[in-house]
Amino acid sequence: MHGVLPILMMMVMVMLTGCSNDDDYRAPYTPDTSCDFSFTYKDGTRGDVYIVQQHTKGSNGFPVVIMGDGFSQKDIDDGEYKEAVSNAIKALTMQKPMKDLVEYLDIYSVVVVSEESGIDYNKHNTAFKTYLESKENTNVIGDTTKIRIFTYCSLREDLNRFHNALTIMLLNSADYAGVTLMSIDTTVVDTIPQGWSLSFIPAYATVSNGENVFNELVLHEAVGHGIGKLGDEYWYNKPLQKQKEDTVFYKQSRKSGCLTNIKYFHNEETGSWDPKYIYKADNVEKYYIQRCVDAEDDILVPFANDSRYASEEHKWIQGGYTYITLTDSPCGKQYEYTDEKGKKKVIEPNKCKAIFYRSSNVSMMGDVVNYVDLQFNILSRLAIYKRINRVANGAGWKYDFETFAKFDKGESTTKSANTFKMPSTTKQRIIRESEKQLTRPKIILE
């Protein structure tokens, strides 16, 4: 039994009805034709569960439960919710490593009717009482206790399966928002984390230039945070003291296998300058450089020494876990810099400090608003691969570098390209105005 969850479950009266054979396998994205079973929550809310897919690889399967809030009976009858679920599954499995792990997934769609249609910045009469917290950030508020129990019931009250499940809550909204709740079992000391995850994602999320970013949010929130339990790789300019205050929580999370794509260095001056990482800091021609840290005696060593990964970044780059600190003091050294138009400039960048580092410049766990064609970097793919294999195959599964490398760089099981390469430059979106400040995942240590 894990944490206080069993007590919560015992307090809630749930009635399961109409159960059917769970062994009926359906291929991914196949439309559901009948409800597999239903349950009723203590307040009368009904959940109709459709088994979209059952695993064909692994002994257990990795459970993914998809629900929606703010979808009225009309929205459901018109097929809007079913289409949103289909889009979520496609986004979930559209990119490496997930597109090659899809057969390990058990996917459930739960139909829940809301009295009112739509989700916005006000509280409405919806099934899970979700609403967007602010126009200044991407946080979402909802009845997480009720969502926990709906997930638990959707998995036929199997606590072991719930403990490692991912719940995706699709919001009937086009606003740009999204956040993930990551429960971490701190009784586990391992490189592979355990604990339930919940990702809130607007089903029609759009940024200020009109582009839909739903796919990016599913990959970042549900796959990155929810499955891989990864840290954010974007950053905001914050005082160094604020970074230091957050190291205790970071270290606790790392002991349980989380945030493995982020590294903490006690000495913020560690590393050497690398002119590859020169960035324009603002609109007045100020520049700064992020320090690279040589990958020595850590998780990046096998990749740095393997020719199959020569085309990918595998250095620790300053800035991550939402933190960096820019100062007005120049570093005292000039660099020749070639800008995006091919013109050479000689600059003296401003100094920056950070004690949290990421392992690639641009990635899916970074800024998903300002860039397109984002992919997961090495450490993100590794964490996702480990987590799904451990949950789907049981505690006896052990990680092997060579097996992972062959999987990671081998022939893909889909029609997409069979190799992964982080683009040296990514296509940048043109945003008309500043977007909301991204919300870090809410981590619950249990």
Side-chain angles (χ1 to χ4, degrees), residues 329-380:
S329 303
C331 67
K333 188 173 182 178
Q334 291 185 335
Y335 287 94
E336 186 177 85
Y337 170 58
T338 303
D339 66 15
E340 63 275 6
K341 296 180 180 180
K343 295 182 179 180
K344 290 186 177 180
K345 297 180 179 179
V346 176
I347 63 170
E348 185 174 298
N350 287 358
K351 188 176 182 181
C352 67
K353 294 182 177 181
I355 53 180
F356 291 108
Y357 290 66
R358 66 197 189 281
S359 63
S360 66
N361 175 26
V362 178
S363 83
M364 187 58 72
M365 297 314 296
D367 184 354
V368 299
V369 171
N370 288 317
Y371 295 92
V372 296
D373 302 323
L374 292 171
Q375 296 169 305
F376 288 107
N377 59 26
I378 295 171
L379 295 188
S380 296

Side-chain angles (χ1 to χ4, degrees), residues 106-126:
D106 288 331
I107 304 176
Y108 304 83
S109 169
V110 186
V111 177
V112 184
V113 178
S114 289
E115 290 298 317
E116 295 185 63
S117 177
I119 300 292
D120 55 28
Y121 298 92
N122 301 305
K123 296 180 180 179
H124 294 289
N125 189 15
T126 62

Side-chain angles (χ1 to χ4, degrees), residues 136-377:
E136 280 70 53
N137 64 54
T138 61
N139 194 31
V140 179
I141 308 296
D143 188 342
T144 55
T145 297
K146 187 174 181 179
I147 297 170
R148 276 178 178 261
I149 294 169
F150 266 64
T151 303
Y152 176 68
C153 292
S154 300
L155 298 174
R156 296 186 181 274
E157 300 183 321
D158 186 335
L159 185 59
N160 289 325
R161 300 205 73 210
F162 167 84
H163 186 59
N164 274 305
L166 164 67
T167 302
I168 300 176
M169 178 58 69
L170 299 175
L171 311 179
N172 189 2
S173 171
D175 284 87
Y176 172 56
V179 68
T180 297
L181 183 153
M182 291 169 25
S183 294
I184 300 175
D185 186 351
T186 54
T187 64
V188 176
V189 179
D190 199 349
T191 59
I192 304 175
Q194 294 188 38
W196 173 62
S197 295
L198 163 63
S199 295
F200 291 98
I201 303 171
Y204 315 104
T206 306
V207 289
S208 62
N209 69 351
E211 287 190 61
N212 185 286
V213 291
F214 175 73
N215 290 344
E216 289 93 330
L217 287 175
V218 170
L219 290 165
H220 179 98
E221 297 291 345
V223 177
H225 290 315
I227 295 177
K229 295 194 182 288
L230 299 165
D232 287 306
E233 295 176 9
Y234 56 83
W235 64 89
Y236 301 114
N237 185 14
K238 296 180 182 178
L240 195 61
Q241 183 57 37
K242 178 61 178 174
Q243 297 185 54
K244 293 179 178 178
E245 291 171 359
D246 220 3
T247 58
V248 175
F249 197 73
Y250 166 82
K251 289 178 180 179
Q252 287 179 319
S253 300
R254 281 300 300 266
K255 285 182 180 179
S256 298
C258 300
L259 312 180
T260 53
N261 60 322
I262 300 294
K263 187 162 184 176
Y264 159 75
F265 288 91
H266 176 68
N267 178 6
E268 64 267 18
E269 300 298 337
T270 301
S272 56
W273 294 109
D274 188 331
K276 283 196 308 180
Y277 303 106
I278 301 179
Y279 299 95
K280 196 170 183 178
D282 51 34
N283 295 321
V284 291
E285 296 301 317
K286 288 185 179 180
Y287 293 82
Y288 67 93
I289 291 180
Q290 296 178 346
R291 293 180 185 269
C292 291
V293 175
D294 296 330
E296 296 179 354
D297 193 29
D298 64 33
I299 192 173
L300 281 174
V301 170
F303 301 101
N305 294 333
D306 194 307
S307 61
R308 288 170 291 188
Y309 290 90
S311 64
E312 295 192 59
E313 293 177 301
H314 33 64
K315 289 183 177 180
W316 292 109
I317 304 171
Q318 197 173 47
Y321 198 45
T322 73
Y323 292 124
I324 200 167
T325 301
L326 302 179
T327 73
D328 294 327
S329 303
C331 67
K333 188 173 182 178
Q334 291 185 335
Y335 287 94
E336 186 177 85
Y337 170 58
T338 303
D339 66 15
E340 63 275 6
K341 296 180 180 180
K343 295 182 179 180
K344 290 186 177 180
K345 297 180 179 179
V346 176
I347 63 170
E348 185 174 298
N350 287 358
K351 188 176 182 181
C352 67
K353 294 182 177 181
I355 53 180
F356 291 108
Y357 290 66
R358 66 197 189 281
S359 63
S360 66
N361 175 26
V362 178
S363 83
M364 187 58 72
M365 297 314 296
D367 184 354
V368 299
V369 171
N370 288 317
Y371 295 92
V372 296
D373 302 323
L374 292 171
Q375 296 169 305
F376 288 107
N377 59 26

